[in-house]
Amino acid sequence: MKKTKDLKKAFFAHGRVPDCPVYDMHGHMGPFFGLHINRETAAQADAVLKRAGVRLLAFCHHAALLAPDIGNAANIKAVRAFPERLRAYCGINPNYPDQVKKDVATFDRYADVYVGFKFLADYHGVPITDPRGEPAWELANARALPVLLHTWENSSCDGPAVVRKVAERYTRAKILLGHSCHGAWDEAIQLVKDFPNVYLELCAVVDIRGCLERFVSALGSERIVFGTDYPWFNHYYYFGAMLGTGLSDDDCRNIFYRNAEKILGVNA
Amino acid sequence: MQRDRIVALRAFPAHHNYLLNRVVFGKFLDEVTERRIPLLISLEKAGGGWSAIYELLAEFPNLTCVLCDIGDWNSDRYTWPLLETYPNVFLETNLLTREDGGIEETVARYGAGHLLFGSNFPERYLEAAALAILQADIPAADKKKIASANLESLIQGAQL
Ligand SMILES: [Zn+2]
């Protein structure tokens, strides 16, 4: 297929560009406490993704992260209802170690559902180094699976210093730094430089002018993946932000889909 | 204001250490209301939060008040009652466009007549807000209202 020349022009004209698909590597689903999410369901997600030209949303249902009585069943149900555009991270909450063991032991049963694991350490109040999360890390490391972390500056659960510890220990797992250690931009860059299996993810990052430009000038664009926290943030807003950075189309394509395809082992 | 082509006012009460209320600004804000001069207040930058906005509008219910930087997912429980209660309240859209479905949901409930395009440039990208409005799942006529027509009629309506 002949590649579209001017991505910015094409996205502004059509909202989507068929030869530049998007892999959204950081999503969620379902209601959330204390606020109103406009589009909570898997059916709504599928329609939004289709309209926006998002080829795949890798997500973890809020229930899988925060409602242990429901857990990963919410992920499985959503992906199996809308398998074309949805895949899930198996949610790991180390406060429930028996459930972690069970989810890891049955991971292969859901090969059609899962792409890897997700830790939401700040919310769980448990560091990503906690031994109760180890079964997930071990499997991810053995299989070189993606592990999406929520990462934030100064956090004792998932700040850059804690990320460094897991990156030293698990050298094969593909560690995606959700929010790129938000605020600790230089530490995030250093982690990518120090560990070949660490990637930056752009949710709550690319909407702040200057962050992505800084990452790409320090690292190039091959270790950065696109993400929106959908259904929190809007895809078009994030596409517009990407295109507002002034990065080359080649860099944008790496971030929109090429890097994700490599991480997921998708043959384009 | 007319000579210098100033079409609206902004206020930063907490930042500048004053209270934006009837005791302090009664005569002034009565005139601003009467002359339909838009007053812009940023929820992120003005300080005082939603209760200050609610108190201000209770005292000046016809004030042309543009609420900027309104916050994301939890802001609708603050903004929707204002849209239902006060005829001259407007929302600046930069954070509504950033929130998935924010524009669609607001337009479905209240129409597009009280939304004014904003980007929060230079903190955020113009292109982000612009693409989100262009591709929002709402009628083209509503996009035009948000992008320009609503602001134009506000400016035309102000008696400077
Ligand atoms: Zn998230």
Side-chain angles (χ1 to χ4, degrees):
Chain A
M1 202 197 306
K2 214 168 153 236
K3 271 205 212 114
T4 300
K5 276 260 159 38
D6 185 337
L7 278 185
K8 185 172 177 179
K9 210 167 138 192
F11 269 101
F12 270 83
H14 310 293
R16 50 183 292 176
V17 180
D19 66 72
C20 180
V22 175
Y23 286 71
D24 184 341
M25 294 297 283
H26 183 168
H28 296 281
M29 200 170 288
F32 198 87
F33 62 88
L35 48 83
H36 169 219
I37 298 257
N38 291 304
R39 300 188 270 217
E40 296 174 348
T41 69
Q44 286 171 314
D46 189 64
V48 165
L49 301 172
K50 187 177 177 190
R51 186 169 180 272
V54 178
R55 185 171 283 174
L56 192 97
L57 175 72
F59 73 99
C60 190
H61 199 291
H62 294 132
L65 292 164
L66 298 165
D69 53 333
I70 300 171
N72 283 296
N75 281 331
I76 295 160
K77 194 174 160 202
V79 175
R80 289 194 167 161
F82 296 93
E84 196 180 332
R85 276 172 279 270
L86 295 180
R87 289 293 181 277
Y89 296 99
C90 178
I92 296 297
N93 183 349
N95 290 305
Y96 299 87
D98 292 339
Q99 191 61 45
V100 172
K101 281 184 209 148
K102 219 182 274 175
D103 284 337
V104 172
T106 56
F107 186 85
D108 285 337
R109 207 180 287 169
Y110 305 104
D112 58 323
V113 172
Y114 294 140
V115 293
F117 295 100
K118 160 87 182 186
F119 286 76
L120 192 61
D122 266 340
Y123 288 67
H124 294 155
V126 178
I128 48 177
T129 46
D130 190 280
R132 293 168 294 174
E134 265 170 25
W137 279 110
E138 298 290 349
L139 186 67
N141 202 46
R143 307 257 186 97
L145 295 173
V147 179
L148 175 64
L149 305 173
H150 172 98
T151 61
W152 216 263
E153 65 177 336
N154 300 326
S155 167
S156 58
C157 292
D158 49 34
V162 201
V163 171
R164 181 165 290 278
K165 285 186 195 155
V166 293
E168 279 165 356
R169 201 177 303 164
Y170 304 108
T171 55
R172 292 195 66 237
K174 290 165 183 142
I175 304 175
L176 313 186
L177 307 188
H179 315 299
S180 300
C181 300
H182 197 279
W185 312 124
D186 289 331
E187 287 94 324
I189 288 169
Q190 198 55 49
L191 284 164
V192 173
K193 284 184 176 168
D194 292 347
F195 301 99
N197 57 327
V198 168
Y199 299 79
L200 302 180
E201 183 276 330
L202 295 180
C203 174
V205 177
V206 73
D207 54 350
I208 306 166
R209 276 181 77 239
C211 291
L212 178 57
E213 293 90 327
R214 188 162 159 186
F215 290 164
V216 172
S217 78
L219 301 166
S221 59
E222 293 185 10
R223 303 272 296 284
I224 303 173
V225 295
F226 182 78
T228 64
D229 249 341
Y230 176 87
W232 297 74
F233 293 112
N234 177 273
H235 282 110
Y236 297 111
Y237 188 94
Y238 267 52
F239 298 167
M242 283 279 296
L243 300 163
T245 59
L247 293 185
S248 72
D249 280 5
D250 214 39
D251 287 330
C252 287
R253 286 176 184 277
N254 283 342
I255 295 167
F256 274 139
Y257 67 97
R258 287 182 189 138
N259 300 336
E261 285 180 342
K262 280 184 207 155
I263 289 168
L264 296 170
V266 175
N267 294 316
Chain B
M1 283 177 73
Q2 194 177 33
R3 190 194 63 213
D4 293 326
R5 304 185 63 183
I6 292 168
V7 296
L9 301 170
R10 296 193 72 175
F12 302 87
H15 203 62
H16 292 154
N17 296 310
Y18 64 82
L19 294 174
L20 190 65
N21 62 20
R22 181 161 285 286
V23 173
V24 186
F25 281 94
K27 221 174 133 207
F28 178 78
L29 286 180
D30 281 338
E31 192 180 340
V32 167
T33 303
E34 189 67 30
R35 292 169 67 174
R36 290 189 282 157
I37 298 169
L39 174 65
L40 278 65
I41 304 177
S42 162
L43 269 296
E44 278 178 5
K45 298 188 172 88
W50 286 106
S51 48
I53 302 288
Y54 269 71
E55 284 162 27
L56 174 70
L57 286 165
E59 291 186 325
F60 301 93
N62 291 313
L63 182 67
T64 300
C65 187
V66 181
L67 302 173
C68 307
D69 308 314
I70 56 173
D72 296 276
W73 316 279
N74 50 1
S75 68
D76 46 24
R77 51 194 63 177
Y78 299 107
T79 56
W80 290 356
L82 295 177
L83 290 173
E84 284 168 18
T85 308
Y86 299 108
N88 301 321
V89 162
F90 294 78
L91 306 181
E92 175 273 313
T93 57
N94 92 81
L95 292 179
L96 269 183
T97 50
R98 191 173 70 148
E99 167 190 343
D100 181 67
I103 291 290
E104 288 86 347
E105 184 89 12
T106 311
V107 169
R109 283 170 187 265
Y110 301 104
H114 287 252
L115 300 178
L116 303 174
F117 178 81
S119 66
N120 200 9
F121 182 85
E123 288 175 32
R124 301 192 186 279
Y125 296 94
L126 275 167
E127 290 87 345
L131 188 60
I133 288 291
L134 280 170
Q135 295 300 330
D137 198 3
I138 57 172
D142 287 342
K143 294 177 190 178
K144 197 167 175 200
K145 281 186 194 168
I146 298 168
S148 58
N150 291 340
L151 181 63
E152 280 165 359
S153 70
L154 268 193
I155 292 172
Q156 279 158 15
Q159 292 152 22
L160 298 174

